[in-house]
Amino acid sequence: MSDAAKSGDVAEQGTVYLVGSGPGDPELLTVKATRLLDEADVVLHDKLPGPEILELIPAEKREDVGKRAGGERTPQSEINARLVELAREGKSVVRLKGGDSFVFGRGGEEAEYLAKHGIPFEYVPGITSAIAGPGVAGIPVTHRDHASSVSFVTGHEDPTKPESTVDWEALAATGGTIVVLMGVGKLPEYTQALRDAGMDPETPVALVERATWSDMRVATGTLDSIVSVRDEEAIEPPAITVIGDVAGTREAVLEFLR
Ligand code: SAH
């Protein structure tokens, strides 16, 4: 192939934009995300950006790569391959993720795969639910008087299993805020792990369900009570768990929180 033909090929190749949608309120999309959604030929997404944002995207541009008909997740390898395929067709592709693509969004894996296959991509930051979720419930993840560090962890793993990679004991020892994503199902296991690590059972805990969506809910308790609160309120994913003294500061601002 001649050099001209080669460079011609490169010019025709589309770009993949790894775009974070923010937590769900369309007004929290970045200006850049809004423009790219408008300009894109195809938008690959799952359900996490939330109904209000997904409704803004014309149906003919949308490709749902979340759960498949049988209810199981589309394998990441299939999503990766589809991104490359579309880019090679010269399409402008938005890979839209809830929150920020690089916070438990598998954006890192997609970036690596694209780079390996010679596909140009751009990372477009989004507002992560890990910070905005607690915030819209009136909980700052750090606070001069209460927490000088914050840890973002996955609650997806079972802390009692040896292959668990989250060190709950070390997290308890930080004395800072712990924000758990994907942490509704395993709430009993990791709250127990934190108590076993010596954390005060009266430590405030909040669950923020569907943060910034029109049907958002907040439920609060302590390390000891939060599992029964979750069950009574029937809290479901997506929800953020905030553990630490900052969760207790909510009461003081609630009356004036809009
Ligand atoms: N990349 C995302 C996180 C993906 S992991 C981000 O930066 O926000 C999926 C988890 O994110 C969910 O299980 C939930 O814990 C959290 N999450 C995402 N959006 C949320 C929302 N609007 N409200 C509450 N939790 C949310």
Side-chain angles (χ1 to χ4, degrees), residues 237-257:
I240 292 287
T241 312
V242 201
I243 304 167
D245 289 339
V246 289
T249 66
R250 177 170 190 262
E251 285 305 314
V253 300
L254 208 50
E255 191 187 342
F256 292 97
L257 180 69

Side-chain angles (χ1 to χ4, degrees), residues 199-205 221-224:
M199 201 175 215
D200 183 353
E202 292 308 307
T203 304
V205 182
T222 62
L223 207 51
D224 247 358

Side-chain angles (χ1 to χ4, degrees), residues 153-227:
V153 297
T154 171
H156 201 59
E157 299 176 350
D158 185 345
T160 62
K161 294 268 164 64
E163 62 269 23
S164 170
T165 52
V166 179
D167 186 343
W168 294 96
E169 209 174 326
L171 286 172
T174 65
T177 306
I178 304 170
V179 174
V180 189
L181 291 90
M182 299 173 281
V184 177
K186 298 246 162 31
L187 186 68
E189 285 85 353
Y190 63 81
T191 48
Q192 183 61 49
L194 289 170
R195 277 179 302 183
D196 291 347
M199 201 175 215
D200 183 353
E202 292 308 307
T203 304
V205 182
L207 297 170
V208 189
E209 179 191 61
R210 297 190 292 267
T212 81
W213 299 21
S214 54
D215 54 355
M216 152 171 156
R217 294 194 299 163
V218 183
T220 55
T222 62
L223 207 51
D224 247 358
S225 71
I226 198 67
V227 173

Side-chain angles (χ1 to χ4, degrees), residues 15-144:
T15 300
V16 175
Y17 299 92
L18 303 174
V19 178
S21 72
D25 176 350
E27 286 196 294
L28 296 177
L29 279 164
T30 62
V31 174
K32 188 160 187 172
T34 307
R35 175 175 62 79
L36 290 169
L37 284 173
D38 195 46
E39 291 172 0
D41 296 311
V42 196
V43 180
L44 266 68
H45 66 88
D46 53 36
K47 296 270 179 300
L48 200 58
E52 289 186 65
I53 286 175
L54 293 177
E55 274 164 23
L56 296 176
I57 307 163
E60 60 274 16
K61 277 196 196 185
R62 280 164 47 178
E63 206 171 296
D64 190 340
V65 291
K67 297 233 163 67
R68 292 195 290 201
E72 93 271 27
R73 225 172 249 283
T74 308
Q76 186 62 45
S77 55
E78 239 172 70
I79 300 172
N80 291 346
R82 183 71 182 135
L83 290 172
V84 168
E85 182 181 45
L86 287 165
R88 288 198 173 140
E89 286 169 12
K91 301 257 167 53
S92 169
V93 186
V94 166
R95 172 67 175 119
L96 188 70
K97 294 286 182 73
D100 185 278
S101 316
F102 285 174
V103 180
F104 298 116
R106 306 194 72 167
E109 291 161 64
E110 291 176 2
E112 281 165 13
Y113 189 89
L114 292 167
K116 204 171 114 198
H117 290 79
I119 306 292
F121 73 93
E122 187 173 341
Y123 159 72
V124 181
I127 298 176
T128 181
S129 67
I131 295 172
V136 294
I139 303 167
V141 291
T142 69
H143 189 300
R144 260 181 85 86

